């Protein structure tokens, strides 16, 4: 079993209890940081988002069977108010708790889709090289995402695109997509470039200092649409069996000058921070 499969087994066995990322990472045999990244790559959800979804499914099934007290169902699902429960329930199922109870049913397909895991790996993926990377100064456009909203990251690149090549202090024409500032539910993503310094940047730019770090680098000429499968393979298959441990720090996509954002072709690299 991969760390994520172990984590899902643990959640399915314990989600009615008060469990958190530390418990789930321990069940998967990896660090909090590793579990957070691997779980998001495999399921498209954060660990806590998955737990909430699992509890909401139980709540929906209870209401479909006619549970009389919606507030009691909300409390069992971990929500402190009827309003918060209704908002989350509607976001997940497109119906209010009252509507599901009145209809007496909820779509089983819809329930299962909430817990879908991508089990497909890139075959024979291995690092193209290991790099002792020096410090980097990154400037670009940043935004905070959850695993669920990360599908909107390409729109951030669209906003940054007109500035590419004219960022004050830009060193070259290499693009960086940096994931950083993680918490249990979200992370910051910066679409940017390397700069010489931050002195002339205007307030519209997000700034990030990346300290020296050792990386495992995965290079590919595949289309950009393969990036989620590659990321999933790195975190769920390669890293757990590699003998390496992920370092708690920014990881990033590197887009060389050959990459064409209009077609998604031209190759790119995934840089994963590792210890040692």
């Amino acid at each position: 079993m991969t760390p994520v499969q172990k984590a899902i087994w643990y959640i399915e066995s314990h989600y009615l209890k008060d469990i958190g990322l530390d418990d789930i990472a321990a069940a998967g045999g990896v660090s909090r940081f590793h579990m957070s990244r691997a779980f998001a790559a495999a399921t498209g959800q954060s660990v806590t988002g998955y737990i909430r979804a699992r509890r909401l499914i139980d709540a929906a099934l209870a209401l479909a069977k006619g549970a009389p007290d919606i507030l009691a169902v909300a409390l069992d699902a971990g929500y402190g108010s009827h309003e918060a429960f209704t908002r989350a329930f509607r976001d997940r199922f497109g119906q209010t708790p009252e509507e599901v109870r009145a209809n007496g049913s909820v779509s089983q397909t819809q329930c299962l889709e909430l817990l879908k895991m991508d089990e497909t790996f890139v075959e024979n993926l291995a690092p193209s090289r290991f790099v002792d990377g020096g410090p980097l100064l990154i400037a670009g456009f940043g935004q905070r995402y959850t695993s669920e909203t990360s599908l909107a990251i390409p729109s951030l690149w669209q906003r940054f695109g007109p500035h590419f090549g004219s960022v004050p202090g830009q060193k070259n024409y290499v693009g960086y997509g940096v994931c950083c500032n993680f918490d249990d539910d979200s992370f910051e993503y910066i679409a940017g470039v390397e700069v010489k310094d931050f002195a002339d940047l205007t307030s519209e730019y997000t700034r990030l200092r990346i300290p020296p770090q050792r990386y495992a680098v995965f290079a590919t000429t595949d289309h950009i649409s393969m990036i989620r499968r590659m990321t999933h393979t790195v975190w769920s298959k390669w890293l757990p069996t590699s003998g390496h441990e992920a370092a708690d720090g920014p990881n990033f996509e590197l887009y060389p000058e050959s990459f064409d954002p209009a077609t998604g072709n031209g190759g790119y690299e995934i840089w994963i921070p590792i210890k040692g």
Side-chain angles (χ1 to χ4, degrees), residues 15-16 51-70 72-79 85-86 88-112 114-115:
Y15 69 86
L16 295 178
I51 294 170
R52 285 193 295 266
R54 193 65 187 83
R55 290 170 177 166
L56 279 173
I57 288 172
D58 273 9
L61 295 174
L63 290 166
K65 293 177 181 177
D69 189 342
I70 292 178
V73 172
L75 294 173
D76 286 344
Y79 292 86
F85 175 65
T86 296
F89 195 95
R90 187 189 297 114
D91 287 344
R92 282 291 183 179
F93 297 106
Q95 302 177 74
T96 65
E98 290 81 3
E99 289 169 337
V100 167
R101 185 173 61 181
N103 294 334
S105 66
V106 63
S107 167
Q108 292 293 320
T109 300
Q110 193 175 33
C111 288
L112 292 173
L114 296 180
L115 307 179

Side-chain angles (χ1 to χ4, degrees), residues 37 64 68 71 73 79 81 100 111-113 124 142 144 147 163 191 203 207 224 242 258 263 275:
R37 299 301 297 146
L71 181 57
V73 172
Y79 292 86
S81 69
V100 167
C111 288
L112 292 173
E113 284 178 348
N124 304 316
R144 198 149 196 91
S147 301
H163 300 263
S203 59
R207 304 156 174 81
I224 189 61
S242 68
S258 60
T263 64
K275 294 182 178 179

Side-chain angles (χ1 to χ4, degrees), residues 108-166:
Q108 292 293 320
T109 300
Q110 193 175 33
C111 288
L112 292 173
E113 284 178 348
L114 296 180
L115 307 179
K116 185 177 181 181
M117 176 179 171
D118 183 359
E119 297 183 346
T120 59
F121 290 124
V122 175
E123 294 296 325
N124 304 316
L125 182 68
S128 59
R129 63 195 187 279
F130 291 90
V131 175
D132 290 314
L136 288 170
L137 299 182
I138 301 297
F141 285 8
Q143 189 165 323
R144 198 149 196 91
Y145 295 93
T146 64
S147 301
E148 293 83 355
T149 62
S150 63
L151 291 175
I153 285 175
S155 66
L156 184 67
W157 278 106
Q158 287 189 60
R159 286 170 44 211
F160 177 66
H163 300 263
F164 190 88
S166 59

Side-chain angles (χ1 to χ4, degrees), residues 211-270:
Q213 175 64 57
R214 184 163 176 78
Y215 297 92
V217 181
F218 300 81
T220 182
T221 56
D222 287 336
H223 189 266
I224 189 61
S225 60
M226 287 286 289
I227 194 167
R228 180 167 173 175
R229 279 188 65 196
M230 283 193 61
T231 303
H232 172 37
T233 304
V234 170
W235 288 99
S236 293
K237 185 179 181 182
W238 178 81
L239 192 55
T241 60
S242 68
H244 298 282
E245 185 178 350
D248 189 353
N251 59 272
F252 55 85
E253 306 135 20
L254 183 150
Y255 298 98
E257 293 187 27
S258 60
F259 180 76
D260 183 353
T263 64
N265 295 315
Y268 53 93
E269 298 177 344
I270 296 176

